Amino acid sequence: MADAVLIAAQAGRALAEAARRAGLRPYVADLFGDADTLAAAEAYRPLPGRFGTAPAADATVAALDHLAGAAGRPIGLILGSGFEDAPGLIGRLAARHRLIGASAETVATLKAPLAFAALCTRLGVPHPAVATDPPPDPRAWLLKRAGGSGGNHIRAATRSPAPQGHYFQQRVPGRPHALNFLADGRTIRILAVTEQWCAPSPIRPFRYAGALARGAGEAPAFPVALVDAIAAGTERIVAATGLRGLASADLLVEGSAWWLTEINPRPGATLDILDRRGIPLLPAHIAASLGTMPDPGPHPADAAAAQICYADRELAPVPDLEWPDCVRDRPCPGSVVRRDAPLCTVLAEGADRAEVLALLETHTARLRAVCAAKKTHPEEALS
């Protein structure tokens, strides 16, 4: 029988499907319980909580203890998004289950804004200035929540003091990208440089929308020298913090200048577009977490992108739809999706960046039209 693995995340579907691709049996706890998550999971437990914040600690411990009992002897626990501001909870879980990925101490170091900025300064890694006191010119600063994810927590700064658990970060120019990599606690292996974009809403101007990875045959997003500099800086942080497993470095890049805004110490929203190699990525994540750097194989020849489709109106209940193949994180019929909450994820693959972006927008627009009309066969609209 295939090995069992525990998975906990805000949305566990991508990790569950990655586990299946790797021949593992995923036992999943997450916030949403989407239809394709349930289909991929060997067993499932819901987590209480709100998207963008850490799940309730006691409920998470109980859910994973239950799943571990059902799994028998799972090889370990993989955490996705949602735990960045809860190193204490990560420590509790690591005391009960073998943790595969970043340790609680590593997450605490990487997600403490002032300490992380000081670490970047010491290691010579460009990083925007941070502060806890209100800036003299708030127009040049952002307000962020420590350990926040998905961009929902980012606001324009004001002259008001930062709320508890928040900090100010200086604005810097550039377009958002990420260096996606494997780490073994000492070195890194680059998986891709992805470009990212936002889906602004009136109250969430920096809300994460999606990411794109170019194909192996395309011109790279940056010159090799710039990628090498970013990788070298990231590797210094990995060596200083002992980071292991799949991770990403969020960047702002302007010409030859770059700034590291944060490290995401876990598999992220780009897993769908990264896990397209001949060798599944989850075994590589496990091996790197154990300190052995694997060879993940060659970069895919084609380009790929994933984009969150946020609900432009409330769906209560969600209609019973035959979701097309390009859609993931499919809400169960009868569930409720609030306006501006994540509805699903839309995927696209193509020969190059331009084709993928066009497909992504076409798929998303047609999906919205189908959902608005509450049709029962959206795949016909996407043919």
Side-chain angles (χ1 to χ4, degrees):
M1 181 179 292
D3 287 332
V5 63
L6 302 176
I7 291 169
Q10 291 186 114
R13 188 272 317 160
L15 278 167
E17 291 186 346
R20 289 294 185 186
R21 283 192 291 271
L24 301 171
R25 294 181 294 123
Y27 288 73
V28 183
D30 80 353
L31 299 179
F32 296 103
D34 289 326
D36 42 356
T37 303
L38 301 181
E42 193 83 5
Y44 174 82
R45 297 289 285 186
L47 294 180
R50 183 169 55 88
F51 184 68
T53 62
D58 289 344
T60 302
V61 171
L64 289 168
D65 282 353
H66 176 90
L67 290 171
R73 287 181 170 270
I75 60 173
L77 167 63
I78 298 176
L79 298 178
S81 66
F83 294 86
E84 292 90 335
D85 60 349
L89 174 56
I90 296 175
R92 286 180 63 184
L93 295 173
R96 306 170 78 88
H97 311 285
R98 180 194 193 189
L99 186 63
I100 300 171
S103 68
E105 294 76 16
T106 296
V107 173
T109 299
L110 292 172
K111 292 304 178 180
L114 297 182
F116 181 62
L119 176 65
C120 288
T121 299
R122 178 169 66 84
L123 297 177
V125 177
H127 182 275
V130 298
T132 54
D133 294 328
D137 182 5
R139 295 172 298 177
W141 293 75
L142 297 169
L143 177 68
K144 295 187 172 185
R145 179 171 59 81
S149 62
N152 288 334
H153 61 101
I154 305 174
R155 306 284 189 275
T158 68
R159 296 187 185 279
S160 301
Q164 180 69 28
H166 288 66
Y167 67 102
F168 297 102
Q169 186 180 75
Q170 190 174 31
R171 291 178 184 260
V172 294
R175 293 177 58 86
H177 290 79
L179 182 77
N180 302 269
F181 60 92
L182 278 167
D184 63 2
R186 305 174 302 276
T187 62
I188 70 169
R189 187 180 292 272
I190 299 173
L191 297 175
V193 175
T194 54
E195 59 180 280
Q196 302 178 348
W197 56 92
C198 295
S201 73
I203 62 173
R204 297 179 178 88
F206 299 97
R207 182 176 64 176
Y208 173 83
L212 179 144
R214 300 188 185 204
E218 288 190 84
F222 310 130
V224 172
L226 181 57
V227 175
D228 288 346
I230 294 169
T234 302
E235 192 166 75
R236 292 196 293 274
I237 292 174
V238 165
T241 62
L243 174 61
R244 295 187 177 195
L246 286 165
S248 60
D250 284 350
L251 314 162
L252 288 169
V253 180
E254 178 81 357
S256 61
W258 63 280
W259 295 265
L260 174 66
T261 57
E262 63 180 323
I263 297 284
N264 300 304
R266 39 79 181 170
T270 53
L271 185 57
D272 285 315
I273 61 177
L274 295 178
D275 195 13
R276 301 180 302 118
R277 299 166 184 255
I279 302 171
L281 269 187
L282 218 58
H285 174 63
I286 295 170
S289 297
L290 298 178
T292 301
M293 181 63 78
D295 181 358
H299 189 76
D302 56 348
Q307 178 169 269
I308 298 175
C309 179
Y310 291 95
D312 52 11
R313 62 185 182 87
E314 182 176 282
L315 290 174
V318 173
D320 187 5
L321 301 174
E322 286 189 41
W323 299 96
D325 289 342
C326 65
V327 171
R328 300 290 187 276
D329 303 315
R330 306 165 181 176
C332 290
S335 61
V336 174
V337 176
R338 303 296 181 189
R339 181 178 180 179
D340 285 335
L343 171 61
C344 60
T345 301
V346 181
L347 306 180
E349 294 187 26
D352 55 28
R353 176 183 182 274
E355 180 179 338
V356 165
L357 288 176
L359 282 171
L360 200 63
E361 291 308 307
T362 299
H363 290 343
T364 302
R366 290 178 177 173
L367 177 63
R368 287 190 184 281
V370 167
C371 288
K374 294 189 177 181
K375 293 182 180 178
T376 57
H377 295 285
E379 79 283 358
E380 294 177 2
L382 292 170
S383 61

